[in-house]
Amino acid sequence: MRVVLLGPPGAGKGTQATGIEEKYNIVHISTGDIFRKNVKEGTPLGKQAQAYMDKGELVPDELVIALVQDRLKQDDCKNGYLLDGFPRTVFQAEAMEKLGIDVDKVVDIQVGRDTLIKRATGRRVCKKCGETYHISFRPTKVEGVCDKCGGEVAHRADDQEATVARRIDVYLTETAPLVDYYEKKGKIVHVDGEQEASTVQEKIFAALGD
Ligand code: ADP
Ligand code: AMP
C-alpha cells in the first residue's frame, strides 16, 4: 500500500502516521523529519534547507524530489510507504509520477486554522527519539522529559506563532491545490481531523480498508 498523508501543519499527520505504519506494515517517510535531521547534523542539504524552514517557506522542489527519489530506493520501501509532508506542490506530485513513484490513496486530514495554531504552537518533540507531545492535549508525564526514552522535549523552531501562520498560508496557496489534483484521480479520502486522535485514527483505518 502506498499512501500520502495530506493536511496543513499541525493537522496531526505525524501523530496518525505511527498507527498507520504499524497496521499496514509500511514505512513512514516524513520529509520534514529528514530535513530536520540534516539540519541537526549540519549536512550540505541541511544547510540549504534551513533558511527556508526557519521562515516557514517550502524548500525548493528540486531538492525535495531528489531526496524522496533516493529514499524510496531503499529496501524498506518494498512493501509500501506512507508519505508525510510530500508531495507539497503540484510540481512535486507530477515529478513523482514521471519518476514512476505510485500512490494508491491520499488521506486529506481537515483541520481549521484556530485549531492548527493551537496544535502547532503547543507541540513539543523529543530531541532524541522524535516522539511528539502537546502541552495541553498530550503532555509528558514529567515536564520537558520524553515518556518513551527520557530525552529532552523541545519546541520546534518553526512552531512559533508567526511562522506557523506563514506555514498555513503557504499550505493554502502551494499545497491545497493537491486536494483537487487527487480528487480528479479518484484517490482522495477526506477525514475530519478536529476530533480526538483515536477517532481520527479509526476513520483513517476505515477509509484505507482493513
Ligand atoms: P503534523 O505532522 O500534521 O504537523 P502533528 O501530528 O505533529 O501534526 O500534531 C501537531 C500537534 O497536535 C502535536 O502536538 C500533537 O500531539 C497534537 N495533535 C495531533 N492530533 C491531535 C488531535 N486529534 N487532537 C488534539 N491534539 C492533536
Ligand atoms: P513538516 O515537518 O512537514 O511540517 O515540514 C517542515 C518544513 O520542512 C516545511 O515548512 C518546509 O520548509 C520543509 N519541507 C518538508 N517537506 C517539504 C516538501 N515536500 N516540499 C518543500 N518543503 C518541505
Side-chain angles (χ1 to χ4, degrees):
M1 166 128 62
R2 295 152 302 188
V3 181
V4 167
L5 278 183
L6 199 62
K13 300 183 294 297
T15 301
Q16 296 302 329
T18 312
I20 301 171
E21 91 173 309
E22 272 171 25
K23 184 171 166 77
Y24 299 99
N25 190 26
I26 54 177
V27 64
H28 171 210
I29 298 172
S30 154
T31 43
D33 284 351
I34 299 174
F35 282 130
R36 277 185 290 279
K37 186 166 183 279
N38 278 274
V39 168
K40 200 170 149 194
E41 291 170 357
T43 66
L45 177 68
K47 284 183 182 139
Q48 281 175 289
Q50 185 166 20
Y52 298 99
M53 295 171 77
D54 285 348
K55 284 188 279 184
E57 304 294 335
L58 294 184
V59 174
D61 285 332
E62 305 72 48
L63 284 182
V64 190
I65 292 160
L67 173 134
V68 172
Q69 190 184 10
D70 198 50
R71 179 64 186 86
L72 291 177
K73 281 187 193 140
Q74 292 178 27
D75 270 358
D76 60 353
C77 297
K78 290 214 170 89
N79 196 39
Y81 38 80
L82 173 62
L83 297 175
D84 162 4
F86 179 89
R88 236 166 166 118
T89 60
V90 170
F91 187 89
Q92 290 178 15
E94 286 171 347
M96 248 174 105
E97 273 170 35
K98 284 185 198 135
L99 290 167
I101 303 170
D102 291 324
V103 170
D104 302 309
K105 277 261 158 47
V106 177
V107 180
D108 170 34
I109 307 181
Q110 299 176 315
V111 175
R113 194 178 184 97
D114 290 351
T115 305
L116 293 173
I117 302 259
K118 273 189 212 122
R119 286 195 188 164
T121 55
R123 169 165 46 195
R124 297 292 182 270
V125 182
C126 175
K127 282 184 170 180
K128 206 163 144 196
C129 73
E131 187 68 11
T132 300
Y133 297 92
H134 189 281
I135 50 167
S136 312
F137 309 136
R138 195 180 175 230
T140 52
K141 291 195 182 88
V142 178
E143 202 186 322
V145 181
C146 177
D147 292 353
K148 268 179 120 181
C149 78
E152 186 194 340
V153 171
H155 199 189
R156 255 170 64 174
D158 60 350
D159 276 344
Q160 304 296 332
E161 186 161 347
T163 317
V164 172
R166 177 66 194 145
R167 288 163 61 208
I168 296 171
D169 291 342
V170 168
Y171 176 86
L172 293 173
T173 52
E174 304 280 336
T175 311
L178 284 174
V179 172
D180 211 34
Y181 180 87
Y182 285 116
E183 195 88 64
K184 288 193 178 117
K185 292 182 186 288
K187 291 188 171 174
I188 205 157
V189 290
H190 305 282
V191 175
D192 174 6
E194 297 258 3
Q195 312 162 87
E196 289 266 331
S198 56
T199 310
V200 179
Q201 185 95 104
E202 279 166 26
K203 299 263 165 76
I204 293 177
F205 287 169
L208 291 178
D210 288 319

